[in-house]
Amino acid sequence: MTELRIAIVGFGKIARDQHVGAIAAVPGAMLAAIASRNASLPGVPHFATVEELLEKGPQIDAVSLCTPPQVRRAQAAAALAAGKHVMLEKPPGIGVAELDPLIAMATEAKRTLFATWHSRHAPSVEPAREWLVARRLKSVHINWKEDVRVWHPGQAWIWEPGGLGVFDPGINALSILTRILPKPVFVTAAELAFPANCQSPIAANLTLTDIDGLPITAEFDFRQTGPQSWDILVETDEGRMTLSRGGRIMAVDGKVVADAPDEEYRELYRHFVKLAATGASDVDLAPLRLVADAFLLGKRNIVEPFVD
């Protein structure tokens, strides 16, 4: 098998914690270079920018964009124009419309554009989807609360326009929701809490539904201390199905029926290798559309300033 030579662009926490190890563990993938202004990896060719990488770097087939979403569109366009396959960390961009030209570029160039939703690859997401399809759903509640100081320490970009704030983790829940439910959902109301010194929300409450009126609520909060909460609860005519630990554990009426080790990022790269082999793309924007609608519909409340 010819290896897919991948350059990571943006070498922050998520790239170091997840992407490097995932690439090393996936047959058919190899880490060929890194582009980052602030960090490097011993033994791996390093460049300051994606432009320098494309001009002066070693031969690569693909780039994995792990930079903040505010700059990803231009980087993706440069890579596609240079004939490279592109993987986008979530969220794929700062808006929905900016993805359309990238999709068109990828199609014309016969190159892969992969908008990743790593939480969809949590081990119990597919078992949950399969279980729910045969049941009548009564209600859904998402409880997604974590400590931003633990998961995004010193990452000022997340509080800027386009950084999404609490929707950076919240979109993970929405990516699972849009995978496991049998029908498309949409936002009907939202309430967003903005710190007085930030441009993105620190907490959000959403009301959603589907075409049949299924009641769906979501609570997102970046201020959680102590135990963290990444749970989706679905009431059905055959009991309560719970996805916990971000989709790792599935239980029905409290009994665990699915639990396995986390290989989310390895699954992303396995899929990326397969897509790149044929130049196919995978760009599902449903989770991003829900976030965009939450901003459109959301009532905005100003809360105390956030100090990292």
Side-chain angles (χ1 to χ4, degrees):
M1 176 187 294
T2 301
E3 287 188 309
L4 186 70
R5 298 165 294 185
I6 303 169
I8 293 177
V9 179
F11 202 57
K13 179 176 171 59
I14 196 67
R16 295 191 302 269
D17 291 354
Q18 299 290 351
H19 288 258
V20 172
I23 292 172
V26 171
M30 68 165 290
L31 180 58
I34 288 170
S36 172
R37 295 186 185 278
N38 304 310
S40 60
L41 190 66
V44 179
H46 174 259
F47 305 88
T49 66
V50 68
E51 290 80 12
E52 183 183 7
L53 165 71
L54 294 171
E55 179 182 354
K56 301 178 180 179
Q59 287 294 318
I60 61 170
D61 307 298
V63 299
S64 179
L65 297 183
C66 302
T67 47
Q70 291 94 331
V71 298
R72 284 200 203 123
R73 182 202 58 77
Q75 292 172 336
L80 288 169
K84 313 305 178 186
H85 305 291
V86 175
M87 174 190 277
L88 300 168
E89 245 291 359
K90 62 87 191 174
I94 58 171
V96 180
E98 72 173 6
L99 275 300
D100 292 337
L102 297 180
I103 295 169
M105 286 184 69
T107 300
E108 183 176 358
K110 296 182 173 59
R111 291 295 181 268
T112 292
L113 182 65
F114 179 26
T116 65
W117 302 109
H118 66 83
S119 291
R120 285 184 175 176
H121 296 274
S124 292
V125 169
E126 285 307 299
R129 184 186 66 81
E130 293 168 3
W131 191 86
L132 290 173
V133 75
R135 274 80 185 176
R136 183 172 62 84
L137 309 188
K138 296 181 177 180
S139 66
V140 181
H141 179 67
I142 298 171
N143 187 48
W144 217 262
K145 299 177 180 179
E146 64 181 56
D147 188 345
V148 65
R149 293 180 176 89
V150 172
W151 300 100
H152 293 278
Q155 295 180 16
W157 62 266
I158 207 167
W159 302 113
E160 296 299 324
L164 294 191
V166 75
F167 285 108
D168 183 81
I171 204 170
N172 295 335
L174 297 175
S175 73
I176 295 174
L177 182 75
T178 52
R179 177 61 184 166
I180 65 173
L181 294 190
K183 296 182 179 180
V185 301
F186 51 93
V187 179
T188 59
E191 190 163 341
L192 314 179
F194 283 75
N197 59 337
C198 297
Q199 299 297 312
S200 292
I202 199 167
N205 292 328
L206 273 58
T207 304
L208 308 93
T209 191
D210 66 6
I211 196 67
D212 294 328
L214 176 68
I216 305 170
T217 53
E219 297 179 56
F220 302 142
D221 204 322
F222 246 166
R223 300 167 295 191
Q224 180 88 339
T225 58
Q228 310 285 277
S229 304
W230 302 290
D231 306 319
I232 300 177
L233 294 76
V234 185
E235 298 286 353
T236 80
D237 61 341
E238 297 185 33
R240 169 183 286 188
M241 191 282 295
T242 303
L243 273 178
S244 58
R245 298 288 298 276
R248 176 179 171 180
I249 300 171
M250 173 187 169
V252 177
D253 290 335
K255 181 181 179 180
V256 174
V257 296
D259 184 7
D262 172 17
E263 291 197 351
E264 294 178 18
Y265 278 85
R266 293 185 185 188
E267 288 298 325
L268 290 182
Y269 278 98
R270 290 183 187 116
H271 190 44
F272 191 36
V273 168
K274 291 178 182 178
L275 289 171
T278 62
S281 290
D282 182 351
V283 185
D284 179 10
L285 299 181
L288 187 61
R289 289 192 183 99
L290 294 179
V291 172
D293 284 350
F295 276 95
L296 280 170
L297 294 171
K299 175 184 177 183
R300 302 187 176 213
N301 299 319
I302 304 300
V303 298
E304 63 276 4
F306 172 77
V307 179
D308 199 348

